[in-house]
Amino acid sequence: MMKRITLSAIKALAVALALQSSAIAEPQLIDRVVVRVNNSVVLESEVQRMLEDVKARALDAGQTLPRDSVLRTQITERLVDRKLQLSMADRMGLRISDAQLDQTITSVAAQEGMTIEQMRAEIESGGSSYQLYREEIRDELVIGDVTRMAVRNRINVSPQEVEGLAKMLEEQSQNNREMHFGHIMVIADTDSSKQEIEDAEARINKILSLLKEEGSDFRRQATTSSQGPKALEGGDWGWMNINEVPTIFADSLRNADKGDLLGPVRSPVGFHLIKVFDVRGVEAVELEEIHSRHILLKPSIIMSEAKARSMLQSFVKELRQDDSKFAELAEEYSEDPGSAANGGDLGWANPAMYVPEFSAQLGALEKNQISEPFRTTHGWHIVQLLDKRILDASEQRWADRAYQMIAKRKFTEESATWLREMRESAYIDVIDE
């Protein structure tokens, strides 16, 4: 016998269905645009991911952080810079292939004492996406490439600069000191109005007074207040030789000691405070040179990534039985115009002059050993380490060291200038929440 449905039951059912329908129809916020940057956007999810990453790193380092709203501002600025750099790379046609990405991640995993599979398991066990991690690494590689390509033509190291610094390095023991320091900057460039400069000066003096208070934390104050490039790292520039630091505060650091708080220092871009965390002497290190030869294959429409790697694997198998044909194969197949005609011979060189992946391969080889195929920005390589030698300290050693220091300093300065120029010419629209 069927149970009769009452009018009140029908009404109750209708109300329940209406409420359910309303709940289903109510829109849910999945993500939102935080900043428009030319033709790209910064999303809320990107800000949140970086915020969580910064907090995790700070927790591991025992570092205290300012409130989330301050961190969000610093993170948003960093992400705007990344969007501009990636956009420039896209216009230049820069790409990182999956093979090159896999090579890099394999190296990162090896440095952590893990396989790729173990690294993936660890990332996913923490609730993160391995695929997202891969794309972030790809972006970092692209940003590194586009920065080097955009900045290298701006750098000019004259023989006079190298000669002068090399002489100083040889004569003055002070130049064997390295400093671990932090930096806080308040922007007030030469185009700022008088009022803006006065406001910036007042702000840097306020920060200085806070830092002089007992128990003050320089890194936290840098994360909170600095407009410098290392703000999210607590203003920390790490260990640097005095000749590697940016010119704007090199003079202030030259005679500084551990614990010194320097500034405010005025420069064309603003006001600066510098904290010397530690000082150490640099022991004399003999200069190692290596003699090597290689074969390079460049993937193209005609030769795929897989084909280039397969060819080199067949070369390796043959050459490990008898390496006397190395020069012959290099002359016939290598696409490095600088060495192919010499049988792939690269001569004697400081391994630091090569791209990181190439240098790392050389560092892992024994004398006469031939590497497995590996990928760099230039293409697929195999390399054989022919010999190593240690050079005594000499004029050439000091000249090489001087050149590297000057080039590193100028690269840091020009990178910041290039990024600032891109921001000035970009369309940047911050979306209010």
Side-chain angles (χ1 to χ4, degrees):
M1 179 178 177
M2 294 181 62
K3 185 180 289 185
R4 188 165 61 89
I5 301 176
T6 65
L7 181 61
S8 61
I10 292 173
K11 288 180 177 180
L13 180 60
V15 170
L17 289 172
L19 290 173
Q20 185 180 24
S21 176
S22 174
I24 292 173
E26 185 177 346
Q28 299 295 316
L29 180 63
I30 297 175
D31 211 340
R32 73 179 187 91
V33 174
V34 177
V35 187
R36 293 190 185 93
V37 186
N38 290 335
N39 296 324
S40 185
V41 295
V42 174
L43 297 175
E44 175 66 25
S45 56
E46 295 177 289
V47 176
Q48 287 298 323
R49 278 198 303 272
M50 187 172 284
L51 180 62
E52 291 167 7
D53 183 56
V54 169
K55 286 183 173 180
R57 284 190 279 111
L59 182 64
D60 291 342
Q63 177 187 348
T64 57
L65 291 172
R67 61 186 184 275
D68 283 4
S69 59
V70 176
L71 278 176
R72 280 182 62 89
T73 299
Q74 298 283 18
I75 287 167
T76 302
E77 291 297 303
R78 178 69 60 86
L79 287 171
V80 167
D81 289 344
R82 284 174 63 87
K83 296 295 179 181
L84 291 171
Q85 290 166 311
L86 290 171
S87 178
M88 174 66 77
D90 188 57
R91 292 197 297 274
M92 295 171 68
L94 289 178
R95 300 286 187 274
I96 299 297
S97 69
D98 287 341
Q100 187 179 351
L101 181 60
D102 289 338
Q103 182 82 28
T104 301
I105 294 177
T106 299
S107 298
V108 172
Q111 290 171 11
E112 298 295 327
M114 295 186 288
T115 64
I116 288 184
E117 291 73 19
Q118 290 170 330
M119 174 179 277
R120 178 171 189 159
E122 182 172 297
I123 290 170
E124 292 178 345
S125 68
S128 300
S129 163
Y130 177 70
Q131 188 59 38
L132 183 60
Y133 170 79
R134 278 176 58 85
E135 294 311 310
E136 288 175 346
I137 295 295
R138 195 194 302 271
D139 284 349
E140 290 298 329
L141 292 173
V142 169
I143 287 171
D145 284 350
V146 73
T147 302
R148 284 189 291 272
M149 291 181 69
V151 173
R152 65 187 178 190
N153 290 333
R154 296 169 174 244
I155 298 173
N156 178 35
V157 181
S158 70
Q160 292 78 13
E161 288 177 292
V162 172
E163 183 180 350
L165 179 55
K167 187 175 181 180
M168 289 175 61
L169 289 171
E170 193 171 7
E171 292 177 353
Q172 299 179 15
S173 61
Q174 180 186 12
N175 287 298
N176 285 335
R177 297 171 79 217
E178 287 187 336
M179 293 186 174
H180 180 197
F181 66 95
H183 169 239
I184 292 174
M185 179 174 77
V186 175
I187 293 175
D189 58 29
T190 52
D191 294 330
S192 301
S193 66
K194 181 180 178 182
Q195 184 60 52
E196 288 172 333
I197 293 173
E198 290 176 354
D199 291 345
E201 188 172 14
R203 182 178 171 191
I204 201 76
N205 284 326
K206 173 64 175 177
I207 296 170
L208 178 60
S209 66
L210 292 172
L211 290 173
K212 288 181 177 179
E213 293 179 0
E214 186 175 352
S216 64
D217 185 335
F218 186 94
R219 290 180 174 87
R220 180 174 185 178
Q221 192 61 243
T223 307
T224 303
S225 308
S226 179
Q227 295 174 297
K230 300 290 185 179
L232 281 177
E233 290 76 29
D236 195 332
W237 281 72
W239 287 97
M240 298 181 81
N241 182 281
I242 191 64
N243 297 290
E244 296 173 326
V245 306
T247 309
I248 52 179
F249 40 83
D251 289 340
S252 300
L253 282 170
R254 196 168 298 280
N255 298 308
D257 292 317
K258 180 179 178 179
D260 285 355
L261 178 61
L262 312 171
V265 177
R266 181 72 169 105
S267 82
V269 297
F271 294 93
H272 311 262
L273 294 172
I274 303 127
K275 173 76 172 182
V276 182
F277 298 134
D278 205 354
V279 178
R280 69 185 181 194
V282 179
E283 297 180 1
V285 179
E286 294 176 311
L287 182 65
E288 181 184 69
E289 285 192 334
I290 52 92
H291 183 200
S292 63
R293 58 184 178 180
H294 81 137
I295 298 173
L296 167 67
L297 298 181
K298 297 181 180 181
S300 64
I301 297 175
I302 299 173
M303 179 177 290
S304 67
E305 296 272 350
K307 177 64 175 176
R309 185 175 187 177
S310 175
M311 281 185 63
L312 289 176
Q313 284 175 330
S314 68
F315 292 168
V316 169
K317 186 176 180 180
E318 179 181 356
L319 293 172
R320 284 178 176 170
Q321 298 297 321
D322 178 11
D323 68 0
S324 64
K325 293 185 178 180
F326 197 108
E328 181 181 334
L329 289 172
E331 289 175 5
E332 182 175 356
Y333 294 103
S334 182
E335 296 180 77
D336 176 15
S339 67
N342 297 321
D345 198 320
L346 294 168
W348 287 98
N350 181 342
M353 70 174 285
Y354 299 124
V355 294
E357 300 90 346
F358 199 93
S359 180
Q361 289 289 332
L362 286 169
L365 295 176
E366 299 294 333
K367 185 176 177 179
N368 294 322
Q369 187 178 2
I370 299 172
S371 73
E372 290 293 326
F374 62 97
R375 186 71 157 84
T376 73
T377 54
H378 301 295
W380 283 93
H381 310 251
I382 57 171
V383 62
Q384 182 179 30
L385 177 63
L386 298 173
D387 205 355
K388 294 182 179 180
R389 69 184 182 189
I390 302 297
L391 299 182
D392 295 333
S394 62
E395 290 184 7
Q396 184 58 46
R397 175 198 169 188
W398 292 117
D400 289 343
R401 184 167 171 79
Y403 180 89
Q404 291 167 11
M405 288 179 177
I406 295 169
K408 182 178 180 179
R409 184 191 73 214
K410 291 190 174 185
F411 185 86
T412 300
E413 295 171 345
E414 290 299 329
S415 296
T417 301
W418 169 67
L419 199 52
R420 191 164 60 249
E421 289 171 357
M422 280 204 299
R423 288 186 70 106
E424 289 172 354
S425 61
Y427 170 76
I428 301 173
D429 181 23
V430 179
I431 310 299
D432 291 333
E433 185 172 0

